[in-house]
Amino acid sequence: MSNTLGNHSLIPQAICPPATRNSLTKTRKGHTHPASITDISAHRKWKSLAAKEFLGDSLNTAGTKLGWRMPRGIHVVPCAVLAADPAFELAGKFNLDGNSQMQVDVRRRTPSSPSQVDIQVTNDSDSLILHWGLIRGRNKNWILPSRHPDGTKLYKNRALRTPFMKSGSNSFLRIVIDDPEIHAIEFLIIDEAQNTWLKNNGENFRVQLSEDVVSSSDVSVPEDLVQIQAFLRWERKGKQTYTPEQQKEEYEAARMELLEEIARGTSLEELQTKLTEYTDESNNNAKEVLIPGCKIPDDLVQIQAYIRWEKAGKPNYPPDKQLMEFEEARKELQLELDKGTSLDEIRKKIIKGDIDTKVSRQLQSKRYFTPDRIQRKRRDIMQLLNKVPFEKSEMPEDKVLDILETPSALELFSKAKKEQDDGHILNKKLFRIDDKELLVLVMNPFGKRRILVATDVDEPLTLHWGFSKNAGEWMAPPSDVLPSGSVLLDMACQTTFIFDPLYKVQAVEIEIDQEDFVGFPFVLLSGERWIKNKGSDFYVDFNDRVKKVDGDGRGTAKPLLDKIAEMENEAQKSFMHRFNIAANLIEQARDAGELGLAGILVWMRFMATRQLTWNKNYNVKPREISKAQDRLTILLQNMYKTCPQYREILRMIVSTIGRGGEGDVGQRIRDEILVIQRNNDCKGGMIEEWHQKLHNNTSPDDVVICQALLDYINSDFDISVYWKTLESNGITKERLLSYDRGIHSEPNFRRDQKKGLLRDLGNYMRTLKAVHSGADLESAIATCMGYKSEGQGFMVGVQINPIKGLPPGFPELLQFVLDHVEDKDVEPLLEGLLEARVELRPLLSSSHERLKDLIFLDISLDSTVRTAIERGYEKLNNATLQKILYFITLVLENLALSTDDNEDLIYCLKGWSHALEMSKSKDDQWALYAKSCLDRARLALSSKAEHYHNILQPSAEYLGSLLGVDPWAVDIFTEEIIRAGSAASLSVLLNRLDPVLRKVAHLGSWQVISPVEVAGHVVVVDELLSVQNKSYEQPTILVARRVSGEEEIPDGTVAVLTPDMPDVLSHVSVRARNCKVCFATCFDPNILADLQGKEGKLFRLKPTSADIIYSEINESELQDVSSANLKDDGSLSPIHLVKKQFSGRYAISAEEFTSEMVGAKTRNIAYLKGKVPSWVGIPTSVALPFGVFEKVLSDNSNQAVADKLEALKKKLGEEDFGALSEIRETVLELVAPPQLVQELKETMQNSGMPWPGDEGTHRWEQAWMSIKKVWASKWNERAYFSTRKVKLDHEYLCMAVLVQEIISADYAFVIHTTNPSSGDSSEIYAEVVKGLGETLVGAYPGRALSFVCKKSDLDSPKVLGYPSKPIGLFIRQSIIFRSDSNGEDLEGYAGAGLYDSVPMDREVKVVLDYSTDPLINDTSIRKSILSGIARAGSAIEELYGSPQDIEGVVKDGKIIVVQTRPQM
């Protein structure tokens, strides 16, 4: 918001160059405005009308802002530097993306030489391409010259693409232009490695070549014409708000446009006539509409209106009031004119301030902001982008103990058992045995008590155990509960532990029905050695509440948390002690990284939620508390400046602490209560007890008590209102009595005290909030704007100075927020809050001297957004879809402003904004597109929640156990953090919108991936991954909360139902269809909750194309349903493999591919070469054939590796499955025989493929490591257990390696030429992702773009769903080594996808922005690409005569197939 007055169609003076701004003289028909306003500014302190504050950024015309603004991004940096070649001129320097600079030099055409453009980019990338064309005359279409640099390619007959030449960190390109009629070159730059376009403020770069087009040495344009042209440009561009620098650029651009007109033959007289006619028409229209017959020049009216506005206190007038003020100013001058005063005399009187002005200063309480809403500035959303500079989880090893990314074997084992036994835990104990662990779980599945004792101790163990009815006693267990093989003794029992080969742990399970036992004593026996718990028996109480933390502190900054626990007794004395201790620990927390700060947050939040003692027998002055708060918050402020990667968690910490402040503010808490008592004759009772409490130890409870008193007085002394306010904020009678100086009495005031108490307690509330409630909106705004409170008698005064450097109009914006904070219509308030947060953002990223206060203000604005959204839920019940979409964009923007690494959220926001525009334009695809945006937003929220849980919950559990925090408070710690943030508000809105979008987009509640009718018992699991190696004894319907896409389906499973969204062509989806398992995604949370509530019951599932009908059945009906994938060890016939032998060749070309040498994958790609249509590309391929691995292993140089491998295989044969990872590591130790290296080099070079070794020895080493990783993947867990299931002899499985060049693709796709969901052979189904195909077939969250296409109409693809995957993978031009085993594509066994394909170079993860993707936004491009994919699939199916599973990529619109196999 800015200080504005109306204007009457005048040209903005802010666009004038300095030489012309000093005069308002204009030449128009009938109007001569002599004189200058520089004299006015010399006599007055206020700025002239030419200043940006009045006429530039904030001028309103009939209620429309005449703002000047250009989008930020790439900007030209004018620089007067000589080029190295004196014949060259510097055309410009550009900042491309913050890390790259570009310099363009031009040598203009002479009679003896052509024009020449040199472009140099400083950038690490070695894959820059110039996308360019030339401009001739007034033709806007690009001209493509015949002369161009080597390597230039034609792009769609529309542009040329030329690669840059790399030299060190610079990329260089020279373009020679010999056509004399060409006067400009336009271009963009493409970074192929990053798949990004580098533009000039979203537009093409343009370099003028022909000097006579842009300037003329003998022609000058009058400045008044330039001003008018600049005004016209400003109007054409939507009356944007420009910075002073942008205004200058616009002014010069206007001059250039006029010079171009002159160069084309237009005379100055013609220009002048054309432009002045426009301005005359504008002015005449203005006079007709606003001021018929007026004799007062507009410039004088403007000045007088400005004076009136100043005298009124610079209020924020709505448009109608601005026009009224303008007319009032005109009337005042007209009165002077009517008195006989000349215009010159009036001008002099204005300068002296002698014109009579009837205006009074506006009251602060009167609103002159538009009551409807503010006008938000138009900005590039990308300005809100935050990217974390490095991995936040990295921290020094000496600071953090045992930070593990993956759970231990014991944790995985216990998790699987919890899933199996309903997960209901009565107690959990973890003991240490030297460097090993012993876990005891007491569970209550289906009403029975089950005890699990598990350990990762290596030596065989025996459990010596019993039960107890009283602590300390031993009783022998009943004989009917003894596990198999147990030996019953006199007062105990002994049971041998059973080893679990999958998890490498040993365990005992005991089940008991009796309820009278209260505990479980035991010891362990290892040979002749008894193992006890620190000299005593182990003991687990059946009735204990489960404690989440065992004292280990895994996943936390344990040394810091131990220190906090050690200091807690001291911290409980007072807030002063706690805050000082926290300040002393801040450096240690910072050194421990994000987990260290998480520890501080957990501790402070336990304090803020009253889980820790606030005061214990210690008297401390309020100013001492305030000083300690101030010290802590200043340390946090300084870390906020220096550690931007931790700002999000630092904001959370700050929000749990009051602002504090040196001396005066804190002391006023003590002094002011005495003044209140004295002024209002309140010297006894409750107010005196509160006074004693305040003197002893003030706390955040005092803010609530003060509010309760105010509510009580305002309710006409209704005591129930007093208690309601207290109790709703967690303060009970018991808590009031628990203070060291307890509050025993209720308030009891006289009616004559009402007015004074409301006044004084209202003032006192500000003092309390200044110390205790830094994030309170009113307090935070008052602190930033400044305030002053005078002292009375002994009471000190307080003066808070306004924060310097706030954006123009910011105080008025905050006042708008305060004025509307309780409005029922929350939309204008939300817009004001977000505008304030965006305006505040640059200051939060600076080293502002009052940064702490700005942080508190931003936190308060964020909090107010959340409460406003929640207040607006009811109104949204009857809102339009567009309104809900708009609300989601507001909440997403707020969440992005509060998030450190917000790139994904920013692209979600761009997607929602695009969906909103699609809905407004009635695009028939808008709901389908919006659904993909919704899915992506949910993924972002899920990722954020998971991050919070991983970072905060372990610290909450460990510290909570050390400090004795209530278990319920520990259990919900992270959940409550999430609930308190914007993410929770967004989640509610998404849940409201989802069923509506599905209905509009004609989507059902299910996506059926594998339609198989089945029946089975319902089992609910958290992750499919945790049970993938389990075998169910009865047909089982798994309801899994998470499915990534790479899991195996457990034996005995007949259906997998999930809310997760794996791709239809992901590994687990293919597995489900192959194994005849029903597999579906459920979008309706109510249906899912209903199914989860049916756990243990028997159900039938009947899928349709878009739904699943489920019903409960009895056991007798089970046999009537065909249930696939039941475990039956005798029903499966072993699949026989013929072991392949080494052929004598280490490497072969495509012409030599045979079934004895390579697998089907490699043979198929060679078969396609020359047989598919010419527009389908097939990559060049070579291979390392079967037997090469075995040959390399037998080489003398690898004897030690071979011996180690044999020993590990023996362990594996004994079902020690931990040997699998050791085998993979051992394979990587192989060295390459020289003959292999030489043969592979010759084969690749002869086939036209680049040899990695040409780039250096290290590149060959990278390639060799990739080959070994492919071989090693024979022993990955998923593949190994998959072969065991079908009884395939793993020793006979051989691995060839297909070698191909990686195509740095725009998109990757997978085609099934028969629709896998419906089985419709007339329909092709395909999925497309941006970048590499690994995100499609691997465990990457989100959905791909999916479509179907009838084979009878390949030109009409139908999109089923738009993409929601947040991540794309991209890679430089490289080599990929693909697995190709003899165990793939066997009848009865689908081995495809089990083994690894390894690129030589690491992929780069890129957060995807679909709003700029032509595949999404350009209908013609989408149709072209999808039709091309469908045509390729149809051609390949026709070639093979059977349904095919095809993988490929799209590069510059060209379809390239990289492999095909029979569709399973």
Side-chain angles (χ1 to χ4, degrees), residues 1317-1447:
S1317 296
S1318 63
D1320 186 351
S1321 61
S1322 70
E1323 193 170 64
I1324 289 172
Y1325 177 89
E1327 293 180 340
V1328 186
V1329 294
K1330 200 167 175 64
L1332 299 179
E1334 180 59 26
T1335 59
L1336 181 55
V1337 298
Y1340 286 83
R1343 281 273 172 85
L1345 183 149
S1346 58
F1347 73 95
V1348 292
C1349 194
K1350 289 293 184 181
K1351 294 173 185 175
S1352 59
D1353 187 5
L1354 294 172
D1355 286 329
S1356 302
K1358 178 185 177 182
V1359 174
L1360 301 180
Y1362 286 93
S1364 60
K1365 288 184 181 290
I1367 297 296
L1369 295 180
F1370 296 88
I1371 197 170
R1372 58 171 285 183
Q1373 204 72 22
S1374 185
I1375 304 292
I1376 188 168
F1377 300 89
R1378 301 183 184 274
S1379 59
D1380 189 25
S1381 76
N1382 62 339
E1384 297 185 38
D1385 305 322
L1386 298 173
E1387 186 176 350
Y1389 173 65
L1394 290 176
Y1395 307 102
D1396 296 343
S1397 294
V1398 184
M1400 196 172 82
D1401 294 281
R1402 181 175 296 181
E1403 305 99 331
V1404 176
K1405 287 185 178 181
V1406 175
V1407 183
L1408 298 175
D1409 179 6
Y1410 292 113
S1411 69
T1412 59
D1413 187 350
L1415 182 65
I1416 308 303
N1417 299 325
D1418 191 315
T1419 305
S1420 61
I1421 290 178
R1422 180 168 64 246
K1423 180 179 179 181
S1424 173
I1425 290 175
L1426 301 188
S1427 294
I1429 291 171
R1431 287 181 180 281
S1434 178
I1436 292 172
E1437 181 187 55
E1438 187 175 339
L1439 184 64
Y1440 280 93
S1442 63
Q1444 293 292 299
D1445 175 355
I1446 304 162
E1447 295 180 24

Side-chain angles (χ1 to χ4, degrees), residues 209 396 618 650 654 738 779 871 981 1057 1177 1416:
L209 303 174
Y618 199 91
L650 287 167
V654 167
S738 71
S779 173
R871 194 165 72 247
L1057 309 178
I1416 308 303

Side-chain angles (χ1 to χ4, degrees), residues 693-726:
K693 187 259 181 203
L694 289 162
H695 270 248
N696 188 57
N697 212 318
T698 184
S699 71
D701 280 2
D702 295 316
V703 177
V704 180
I705 293 170
C706 188
Q707 187 62 54
L709 289 173
L710 287 167
D711 293 346
Y712 159 68
I713 298 168
N714 275 314
S715 68
D716 203 22
F717 305 104
D718 184 347
I719 196 64
S720 66
V721 173
Y722 169 76
W723 287 112
K724 183 179 179 181
T725 300
L726 290 177

Side-chain angles (χ1 to χ4, degrees), residues 1005-1007 1057-1060 1080-1089 1091:
S1005 298
W1006 295 86
Q1007 180 176 22
L1057 309 178
T1058 179
D1060 229 331
T1081 292
C1082 179
F1083 296 114
D1084 191 325
N1086 296 321
I1087 294 176
L1088 196 70
L1091 283 167

